[in-house]
Amino acid sequence: MKIVFAAPALVLALAACTQERPAPLPGPVGVCQAAPAQRFVGQQATPALVAKVQRVSGARSARRITPNMRVTMEFNESRVNVWVGLKGEAERISCG
């Protein structure tokens, strides 16, 4: 009998130990917001920087666009674009 009554108490104790989640980004989930990522313009557009840009912008995907690279021109509200200059720096960050 004691085991039956101990299980609900254990569940309640574990539920009280859950971690607090971080605050969500402003705006709809997965929709790109380029303004917060503008601070990365001028930095070397490494894969790590592109990942930071994606996280800060709230976008679901990111693409690194190099000079003379062919890209599709359809607008995708959940994608952030990092436009790279000839020296490898992020020249422009935009959504789409």
Side-chain angles (χ1 to χ4, degrees):
M1 287 268 193
K2 290 181 182 180
I3 295 173
V4 174
F5 292 111
L10 180 61
V11 171
L12 290 174
L14 290 175
C17 294
T18 59
Q19 294 179 345
E20 187 175 319
R21 294 182 185 213
L25 294 171
V29 175
V31 175
C32 175
Q33 303 289 325
Q38 296 306 312
R39 66 179 183 228
F40 299 113
V41 170
Q43 296 182 27
Q44 286 297 307
T46 62
L49 182 84
V50 174
K52 285 181 190 177
V53 168
Q54 181 179 351
R55 187 177 67 251
V56 169
S57 70
R60 287 189 186 151
S61 64
R63 65 179 174 177
R64 183 179 183 269
I65 304 172
T66 58
N68 300 319
M69 182 177 174
R70 294 182 182 185
V71 295
T72 60
M73 297 304 293
E74 87 284 355
F75 183 80
N76 182 342
E77 70 177 7
S78 65
R79 178 176 58 210
V80 65
N81 299 309
V82 179
W83 299 82
V84 181
L86 293 173
K87 296 179 182 177
E89 75 285 357
E91 283 188 341
R92 181 168 55 115
I93 297 172
S94 64
C95 295

